[in-house]
C-alpha cells in the first residue's frame, strides 16, 4: 500500500492536514479553525491530488476542530467543480466526523446535500465513521 506522507497547508497557522496511512484504505483529512473559501478550496484540491497519487476511493474528514460555519458558497463549488473531479478519480465514499460547534455542524448537514454520485455521511462518533468506512 502506498503511504502518502502527512502534509499541511499553511496560512499563518495550520488549518488542514492530510495523510494516507498504510493501515487503512482511505485518506484522512483533519480540518482546523475557521475556514475561508480559499483555504477550503486549496485543501479540497489537495485531497484530489492525494486521491490521484494513492488510488484510494475513500475519504475520512475530521471536522471536529472546525470553528464556525463553512464558507459561503463552498457547497456549490463542491457540487459543480470538485465533485466531478473526485468522481473521475474514483472517489466512492466519504465520512465526516462533525464538529460540536453548532454552526460547523449545520454547515456539514447542508454540505452533505451537495454530494451526488459519492456516498457521503456525517457522523458525531469517530468509531461509527471508521466502522462504516471500513465496511464499504
Amino acid at each position: 500500500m502506498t503511504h502518502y506522507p502527512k502534509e499541511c497547508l499553511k496560512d499563518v497557522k495550520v488549518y488542514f492536514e492530510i495523510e494516507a496511512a498504510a493501515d487503512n484504505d482511505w485518506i484522512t483529512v483533519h480540518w482546523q479553525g475557521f475556514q475561508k473559501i480559499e483555504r477550503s478550496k486549496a485543501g479540497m484540491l489537495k485531497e484530489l491530488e492525494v486521491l490521484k497519487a494513492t488510488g484510494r476511493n475513500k475519504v475520512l474528514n475530521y471536522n471536529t476542530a472546525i470553528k464556525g460555519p463553512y464558507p459561503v458558497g463552498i457547497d456549490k463549488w463542491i457540487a459543480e467543480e470538485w465533485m466531478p473531479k473526485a468522481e473521475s478519480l474514483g472517489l466512492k465514499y466519504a465520512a465526516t466526523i462533525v464538529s460540536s460547534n453548532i454552526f460547523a455542524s449545520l454547515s456539514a448537514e447542508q454540505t452533505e446535500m451537495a454530494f451526488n454520485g459519492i456516498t457521503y455521511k456525517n457522523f458525531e462518533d469517530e468509531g461509527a465513521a471508521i466502522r462504516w468506512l471500513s465496511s464499504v
Side-chain angles (χ1 to χ4, degrees):
M1 186 175 291
T2 304
H3 176 74
Y4 193 89
K6 185 182 249 187
E7 182 171 335
C8 303
L9 297 174
K10 296 184 180 179
D11 177 355
V12 181
K13 65 183 202 176
V14 173
Y15 66 92
F16 173 90
E17 294 179 328
I18 188 169
E19 74 179 309
D23 61 347
N24 59 50
D25 65 346
W26 55 79
I27 65 170
T28 303
V29 184
H30 291 266
W31 294 91
Q32 302 168 29
F34 289 95
Q35 297 299 310
K36 298 178 183 176
I37 191 84
E38 300 83 14
R39 290 177 174 180
S40 294
K41 286 181 179 180
M44 294 190 77
L45 290 172
K46 179 56 80 173
E47 283 183 28
L48 295 176
E49 289 178 29
V50 176
L51 287 168
K52 184 176 182 177
T54 63
R56 295 183 184 194
N57 68 352
K58 301 176 189 178
V59 173
L60 176 60
N61 290 300
Y62 282 84
N63 289 7
T64 54
I66 285 183
K67 308 282 189 238
Y70 294 2
V72 173
I74 194 65
D75 52 340
K76 182 178 185 211
W77 180 83
I78 289 170
E80 294 176 359
E81 303 208 21
W82 186 86
M83 187 77 58
K85 293 174 185 173
E87 285 182 290
S88 73
L89 292 172
L91 181 62
K92 302 281 186 220
Y93 306 99
T96 295
I97 305 162
V98 296
S99 173
S100 61
N101 178 287
I102 188 66
F103 299 109
S105 182
L106 290 171
S107 291
E109 288 177 22
Q110 182 178 354
T111 301
E112 185 174 9
M113 291 181 236
F115 279 77
N116 290 319
I118 296 171
T119 304
Y120 176 95
K121 293 188 176 194
N122 286 315
F123 295 87
E124 293 181 5
D125 176 68
E126 177 186 31
I130 289 172
R131 282 189 299 277
W132 177 75
L133 212 51
S134 296
S135 72
V136 293

